[in-house]
Amino acid sequence: MTLGRAGWPLALWPVLALAQAPGWETRVVELAPAMRACLATRPGGMVVAAWEAERGLTMARLLLPGGAREDCLAHPNGMLVERREAVAEADRRPDEALRAFMLERRCVDAWRVVDEAGRELGWLAYPGCG
């Protein structure tokens, strides 16, 4: 299933509406360059939350292999700005367990994320997928 600018496939909206309100995943194409920059040097990592930060930058919460978390600040053009290591358990966001963005497909029910030109940006799934 392909996921593009419109967000989630329309067939899934009734299910998603019952499960949770849509979050950052509805802007996954827009946020992808920043998230890709954050994941570029973190093999096996995945973004479990993303939000707008100061100065128009994107903050991405990464879940790394082994369970460690870190925050990564990146420019929407894909330039890495800063990493903030070791996010404490008490600082977890409530939406972290709902969805995940990753660079490679790790499970069969992951959705392919593409830009307007059809280039693959990554995959959207759930954190347990990886």
Side-chain angles (χ1 to χ4, degrees):
M1 189 174 297
T2 299
L3 181 68
R5 228 179 217 293
W8 289 97
L10 290 177
L12 289 179
W13 275 111
V15 174
L16 289 171
L18 293 173
Q20 75 258 345
W24 61 269
E25 77 281 356
T26 62
R27 298 177 48 222
V28 69
V29 173
E30 173 190 343
L31 298 170
M35 294 189 299
R36 290 180 58 83
C38 290
L39 292 170
T41 60
R42 299 296 191 254
M46 62 181 74
V47 175
V48 292
W51 61 95
E52 284 189 40
E54 67 270 5
R55 303 175 312 225
L57 300 175
T58 298
M59 183 69 75
R61 172 74 43 89
L62 275 58
L63 176 60
L64 304 174
R69 285 176 164 71
E70 74 176 19
D71 285 344
C72 175
L73 192 62
H75 193 277
N77 69 7
M79 185 178 73
L80 184 66
V81 176
E82 174 186 5
R83 291 193 184 279
R84 299 175 184 169
E85 302 286 335
V87 175
E89 186 70 26
D91 293 331
R92 287 185 66 176
R93 296 174 58 92
D95 59 351
E96 282 186 41
L98 301 177
R99 60 201 69 79
F101 175 83
M102 51 203 79
L103 296 180
E104 65 281 334
R105 186 176 191 184
R106 299 185 196 167
C107 54
V108 294
D109 55 353
W111 293 284
R112 184 173 176 248
V113 179
V114 297
D115 65 11
E116 288 180 350
R119 290 182 299 251
E120 184 178 297
L121 301 173
W123 296 86
L124 194 62
Y126 50 92
C129 177

